[in-house]
Amino acid sequence: TQSTGSSGINAEYDRLKQELYDKEDCLQSLPLSPSTLPKLVDKNPSLAVDILLLLAQTQQFADYLTVLLNMDLSLHSMEVVNKITANLELPPQFIHFYIRNCITNCTEITDKNTQHRFVRLVCVFLTALIRNRLVNVQDILIEIQAFCIDHSRIREATGLFDF
């Protein structure tokens, strides 16, 4: 059945995750580098979050954050950034640059339906960051207000502006 397959995948994921946490040297044996992070984020954002949380204690973590900053905007990349931001104290500059990249990416999307979808996602993402006090809104208030005004036809942008 489908649920058996799904639970098998979940069990395998849980086993791998526990192995990563149990064996400190396990990270070095992973076939992961900053250049392969986008593919991992796209294919398995939950595993990407777990690995990034472990990598936070390493010298290479800054390289992985740089890759996240430069990735194409996607639901999965925002999910990963949201979860690591909620679990780690990241440099405020990283969060601000990521937000600016999200806003810039939204304005560069030419297809209106795709743009509206991403504007909604970015607004929900920003609202969560602000609500959870993971970003100092005063530091990026002007950018957020301009973004909301530019996309005021979208309900989530109006809600973010009022927030």
Side-chain angles (χ1 to χ4, degrees), residues 36-124:
T36 60
L37 181 62
K39 187 179 247 183
L40 179 61
V41 168
D42 183 47
K43 300 292 183 195
N44 194 333
S46 296
L47 183 59
V49 168
D50 290 329
I51 290 174
L52 285 168
L53 292 175
L54 290 170
L55 286 168
Q57 309 306 318
T58 68
Q59 294 176 355
Q60 300 91 355
F61 187 61
D63 296 334
Y64 287 91
L65 289 181
T66 300
V67 169
L68 279 173
L69 277 177
N70 295 311
M71 281 180 62
D72 289 337
L73 182 64
S74 72
L75 171 62
H76 287 157
S77 67
M78 284 190 286
E79 176 185 342
V80 168
V81 171
N82 188 39
K83 286 183 179 175
I84 64 169
T85 303
N87 287 288
L88 296 174
E89 190 168 327
L90 295 175
Q93 305 91 324
F94 169 80
I95 298 169
H96 298 156
F97 282 129
Y98 189 80
I99 290 169
R100 287 184 183 111
N101 285 348
C102 287
I103 289 171
T104 300
N105 276 306
C106 280
T107 58
E108 293 174 351
I109 297 172
T110 54
D111 178 68
K112 285 294 178 199
N113 289 332
T114 304
Q115 183 185 52
H116 288 181
R117 184 172 146 251
F118 276 105
V119 167
R120 285 192 298 275
L121 288 171
V122 168
C123 288
V124 169

Side-chain angles (χ1 to χ4, degrees), residues 7 10 15 18 20 38 65-66 69 110 114 116 133 146-147:
S7 66
N10 289 337
R15 185 192 60 73
Q18 194 57 50
L20 287 173
L65 289 181
T66 300
L69 277 177
T110 54
T114 304
H116 288 181
R133 292 183 168 84
F147 177 73

